[in-house]
Amino acid sequence: VYDLLSTVSGTERSATRTRCAVRQQRDGSVEVAGLTVETVTSPGEVYALLQRAATHRATAATLKNDRSSRSHSVFQMKLSGTNLETGKTSTGCLNLVDLAGSERVAKSGATGEQFEEAKAINKSLSTLGDVIRAVAEGSAHVPYRNSKLTRLLEPYLGGNSKTLMFVNVSPCSKDMSETISVCFFFFFF
């Protein structure tokens, strides 16, 4: 896990970035140690942070995409609002998660470090599917700890949380197998 808001250069790779530890707190919540926290008061400020983080995200060219994301990205916004009539304050958390592409390694041509990144991406996507399935089925065991992504999102994948997912698909017929694979994986497990 890396803090994209503290990274100086968009060209830095994982070898030069400081890793952040994912830790469980005594109250059961999950925290990433050392993350940059910014206070925002407008949509423009949120957008500026998202743009800043995007410039620091690791990307690489593959046969399928000239700027393929090499990791997932999680932007967490803690919200607080007060009812002016009652004075009651409500809080919540909005997670914007970009699940790095689920390109098949054989089609992307990934080798070396990109191959290892692709394997890690696909493993965490598989774990996310397992977690969503276990929550939906009311399973006694939900495998949150099988991935840092699901560990980080644990408080937001069950209980009274709401999840909305957008899938970007290619309109090109040559990409149909990838589209079917993604839709099948996330919607029909």
Side-chain angles (χ1 to χ4, degrees), residues 151-189:
R151 187 74 186 106
L152 181 62
L153 296 176
E154 180 177 354
Y156 314 106
L157 292 173
N160 64 356
S161 298
K162 304 290 185 246
T163 302
L164 176 63
M165 183 170 151
F166 295 93
V167 178
N168 291 322
V169 296
S170 171
C172 298
S173 60
K174 67 182 176 82
D175 297 325
M176 186 172 296
S177 66
E178 291 294 321
T179 298
I180 290 170
S181 173
V182 169
C183 291
F184 180 80
F185 179 80
F186 285 109
F187 300 111
F188 302 109
F189 56 80

Side-chain angles (χ1 to χ4, degrees), residues 34-86:
L35 285 181
T36 301
V37 176
E38 301 267 351
T39 300
V40 293
T41 58
S42 72
E45 291 175 337
V46 172
Y47 183 71
L49 285 176
L50 289 169
Q51 287 291 93
R52 190 168 120 203
T55 64
H56 298 141
R57 192 155 176 209
T59 61
T62 69
L63 296 177
K64 299 294 287 177
N65 187 341
D66 64 339
R67 290 182 334 204
S68 180
S69 300
R70 306 317 306 154
S71 62
H72 305 305
S73 173
V74 179
F75 182 83
Q76 211 171 58
M77 186 166 43
K78 300 197 185 230
L79 305 163
S80 179
T82 303
N83 182 318
L84 296 178
E85 291 181 19
T86 66

Side-chain angles (χ1 to χ4, degrees), residues 111-140:
T111 59
E113 184 180 356
Q114 290 180 6
F115 177 73
E116 295 304 316
E117 291 167 338
K119 283 191 336 187
I121 288 166
N122 289 334
K123 181 179 182 227
S124 66
L125 289 173
S126 180
T127 299
L128 179 60
D130 293 343
V131 165
I132 292 171
R133 182 182 312 106
V135 168
E137 293 173 353
S139 176

Side-chain angles (χ1 to χ4, degrees), residues 78-103:
K78 300 197 185 230
L79 305 163
S80 179
T82 303
N83 182 318
L84 296 178
E85 291 181 19
T86 66
K88 183 177 179 183
T89 300
S90 295
T91 60
C93 186
L94 174 67
N95 290 285
L96 301 175
V97 182
D98 180 348
L99 298 173
S102 60
E103 302 168 342

Side-chain angles (χ1 to χ4, degrees), residues 1 19-35 145 148 151-152 154-155:
V1 176
R19 291 181 186 256
C20 300
V22 178
R23 297 185 180 136
Q24 184 166 358
Q25 303 302 300
R26 292 184 192 267
D27 66 359
S29 65
V30 177
E31 178 184 283
V32 179
L35 285 181
R145 293 178 186 242
K148 285 185 182 177
R151 187 74 186 106
L152 181 62
E154 180 177 354

